[in-house]
């Protein structure tokens, strides 16, 4: 059954596993763990050094187990992984994010992660990190990193206009006219079709208390009152020129954005490091809590490592996963990658960086997404309709009603 489901996912995928380094082990795989990862640590040298010392540290404790860490490119990662799993040459362990969990769970290739981690590790995870990587309340991925898109405000703009950072939607609307009159935008909304909905519309949907999918996952919930309230709020920002309207269709890079030009008070769609770089230095950056609509939340990614059903040596994988998710390794990993830890006991990773130290305090308030097998396809439906409402081409209610209607046959399939 598992192989049948996986084969069904391979429509229009060309088999390329034979071209992949580390696609499989020449022996029967006993006492061997093969793991696929990606350039999460963006500096290639730092990435190699991290995995070299991590595998070496593990081998000191388990000299009988061989670990092969294969760094794969981001491009075509799902096609490559699915092809390799179907061919029986996939990894034992692989890096996944929330919008992949539903897809691979539907293919029946994921093992419940609690079967491979110590009880104390499972108990130490933040609830929102585990929830983002779970299906029907069963976690299938061991979280390894988190981020938080909290408020990033330009202190120079705040000082020039005499406003305080908002903490709610209402406060944002209150200070926005003051900022506009002095030539500034209240915030930045990147609404082009290349922008991730997690970092724009969905974030406000979650703040309104809504969800992308209904509880059973059978239809979209964006057309409910929460989704309409979120899109009406964003429409007000656009119509009143509280945000740069050109960003609805133009894909600004952070260093070219209105924030980089010193024209925006606060942004909620960038990580603090990215925002600081856009502003020309962290000395100008003031971190603030996530906004509150009906709910106080912000988008924050979660990533982790899943174990596939056909892992060749479950005991070896269990030992590796326990080490990989240990407090020692998790601290080292996140410092090297510039992320935060999903374990509650692993904190204060950046004592010498006040920006990251402040952002770390809001991890519990993040919403990392909603795992669903059709998450990515739904993005392609919702994004242009949200954009059309913001451009004034249709009402928020009509746009979201159409999104739910168009997605209905997809979710029913």
């Amino acid at each position: 059954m598992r192989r049948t489901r996986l084969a069904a996912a391979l429509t229009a995928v060309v088999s390329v596993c034979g071209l992949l380094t580390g696609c499989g082990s020449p022996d029967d795989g006993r006492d061997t763990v093969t793991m696929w990862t990606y350039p999460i640590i963006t500096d290639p040298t730092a990435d190699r050094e991290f995995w070299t010392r991590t595998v070496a540290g593990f081998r000191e404790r388990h000299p009988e187990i061989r670990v092969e860490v294969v760094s794969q490119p981001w491009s075509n990662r799902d096609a490559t992984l699915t092809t390799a799993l179907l061919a029986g040459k996939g990894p034992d362990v692989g890096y996944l994010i929330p919008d992949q969990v539903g897809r691979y769970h539907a293919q029946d290739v994921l093992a419940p992660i609690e079967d491979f981690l110590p009880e104390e590790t499972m108990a130490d995870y933040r609830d929102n990190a585990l929830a983002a990587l779970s299906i029907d309340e069963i976690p299938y991925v061991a979280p390894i990193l988190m981020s938080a898109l909290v408020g990033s405000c330009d202190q120079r703009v705040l000082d020039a206009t005499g406003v305080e950072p908002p903490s709610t939607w209402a406060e944002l609307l209150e200070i926005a006219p003051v900022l506009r009159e002095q030539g500034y935008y209240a915030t930045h909304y990147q609404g082009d079709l290349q922008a991730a909905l997690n970092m724009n519309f969905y974030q406000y949907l979650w703040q309104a208390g809504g969800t992308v999918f209904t509880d059973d996952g059978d239809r979209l919930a964006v057309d409910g009152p929460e989704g309409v309230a979120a899109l009406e709020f964003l429409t007000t920002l656009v119509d009143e020129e509280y945000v740069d309207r050109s960003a609805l269709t133009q894909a600004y890079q952070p260093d070219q954005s209105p924030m980089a030009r010193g024209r925006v008070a606060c942004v909620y769609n960038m990580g603090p490091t990215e925002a600081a770089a856009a502003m020309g230095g962290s000395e100008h950056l003031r971190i603030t809590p996530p906004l509150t609509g009906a709910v106080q939340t912000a988008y924050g990614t979660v990533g982790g490592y899943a174990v596939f059903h056909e892992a060749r040596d479950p005991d070896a994988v269990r030992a590796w996963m326990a080490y990989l998710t240990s407090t020692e390794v998790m601290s080292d990993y996140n410092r090297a990658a510039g992320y935060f830890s999903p374990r509650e006991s692993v904190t204060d990773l950046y004592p010498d960086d006040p920006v990251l130290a402040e952002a770390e305090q809001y991890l519990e308030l993040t919403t990392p997404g909603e795992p669903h097998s059709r998450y990515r396809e739904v993005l392609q439906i919702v994004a242009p309709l949200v954009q059309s409402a913001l451009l004034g081409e249709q009402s928020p209610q009509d746009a979201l009603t159409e999104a739910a209607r168009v997605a209905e046959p997809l979710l029913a399939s």
Side-chain angles (χ1 to χ4, degrees):
M1 177 61 74
R2 288 174 188 150
R3 188 56 57 87
T4 300
R5 291 185 186 179
L6 192 56
L10 280 173
T11 303
V13 174
V14 179
S15 177
V16 295
C17 195
L19 303 178
L20 298 177
T21 302
C23 232
S25 178
D27 56 25
D28 61 9
R30 288 177 295 181
D31 297 330
T32 299
V33 178
T34 300
M35 187 179 84
W36 284 14
T37 190
Y38 301 88
I40 299 153
I41 302 173
T42 55
D43 181 298
T45 300
D47 189 49
R48 285 193 300 272
E49 290 175 349
F50 169 80
W51 289 114
T52 297
R53 65 177 175 267
T54 300
V55 171
F58 176 75
R59 291 296 302 276
E60 288 178 2
R61 295 164 173 79
H62 299 279
E64 76 283 4
I65 300 175
R66 175 175 176 265
V67 176
E68 181 183 25
V69 176
V70 181
S71 183
Q72 298 281 357
W74 288 115
S75 60
N76 299 318
R77 64 186 187 277
D78 281 319
T80 301
L81 178 57
T82 302
T83 303
L85 290 170
L86 180 66
K89 297 181 179 180
D92 303 302
V93 179
Y95 181 84
L96 299 180
I97 58 176
D99 68 11
Q100 294 174 291
V101 177
R103 180 188 302 269
Y104 288 104
H105 178 264
Q107 296 171 18
D108 199 21
V109 296
L110 299 179
I113 203 63
E114 62 186 355
D115 294 345
F116 292 89
L117 295 183
E119 290 184 7
E120 59 268 25
T121 299
M122 291 296 298
D124 194 32
Y125 276 125
R126 299 177 190 273
D127 290 342
N128 56 345
L130 276 182
L133 300 169
S134 299
I135 300 292
D136 297 331
E137 300 184 356
I138 299 175
Y140 286 94
V141 180
I144 194 74
L145 61 82
M146 293 185 76
S147 69
L149 269 64
V150 296
S152 296
C153 299
D154 191 328
Q155 189 62 54
R156 296 168 298 183
V157 175
L158 300 180
D159 291 342
T161 58
V163 303
E164 287 296 317
S167 59
T168 66
W169 287 8
E171 290 178 3
L172 182 61
L173 292 177
E174 183 179 340
I175 67 171
V178 177
L179 290 158
R180 183 189 59 193
E181 289 170 7
Q182 298 184 55
Y184 297 98
Y185 297 112
T187 188
H188 181 68
Y189 185 89
Q190 192 62 53
D192 67 280
L193 297 183
Q194 301 304 312
L197 285 183
N198 287 337
M199 301 170 72
N200 51 50
F201 172 64
Y202 284 174
Q203 185 164 227
Y204 292 93
L205 169 69
W206 295 323
Q207 289 173 358
T211 58
V212 179
F213 301 95
T214 55
D215 288 342
D216 58 15
D218 289 345
R219 66 177 306 276
L220 288 190
V222 296
D223 58 334
E226 299 87 357
V228 174
L231 193 48
E232 286 178 343
F233 173 71
L234 293 171
T235 300
T236 297
L237 296 181
V238 174
D239 291 347
E240 297 296 330
E241 299 182 348
Y242 298 153
V243 296
D244 184 352
R245 185 183 178 88
S246 70
L248 297 179
T249 54
Q250 182 174 340
Y252 283 110
Q253 295 301 313
D255 61 351
Q256 301 169 339
S257 69
M259 189 164 194
R261 300 195 298 270
R263 309 313 302 169
V264 180
C266 299
V267 296
Y268 304 93
N269 65 336
M270 296 181 187
T273 300
E274 186 180 34
M279 288 190 295
S282 60
E283 67 272 17
H284 307 306
L285 179 61
R286 178 172 171 181
I287 296 296
T288 64
L291 286 176
T292 301
V295 176
Q296 185 182 27
T297 191
Y299 173 66
T301 192
V302 173
Y305 289 94
V307 177
F308 297 102
H309 268 309
E310 297 185 8
R312 294 161 295 176
D313 190 333
D315 288 337
V317 170
R318 192 170 290 110
W320 169 246
M321 291 297 292
Y323 183 71
L324 182 63
T325 58
S326 66
T327 56
E328 172 191 355
V329 174
M330 194 171 287
S331 297
D332 190 15
Y333 185 92
N334 281 286
R335 287 193 188 99
Y339 286 92
F340 303 112
S341 167
R343 290 189 61 166
E344 292 181 339
S345 65
V346 181
T347 58
D348 301 323
L349 295 181
Y350 305 99
D352 299 325
D353 189 325
V355 168
L356 291 178
E358 179 66 19
E360 186 181 34
Q361 308 307 309
Y362 302 112
L363 291 175
E364 292 288 355
L365 295 174
T366 60
T367 300
E370 300 177 35
H372 192 285
S373 61
R374 297 293 191 178
Y375 196 86
R376 292 186 184 176
E377 292 94 327
V378 163
L379 289 174
Q380 305 306 312
I381 295 171
V382 176
L385 291 167
V386 167
Q387 185 190 62
S388 73
L390 294 175
L391 291 171
E393 297 169 352
Q394 56 183 316
S395 72
Q397 180 69 76
D398 287 347
L400 297 177
T401 297
E402 184 178 351
R405 179 187 62 78
V406 174
E408 187 173 356
L410 173 69
L411 297 179
S413 62

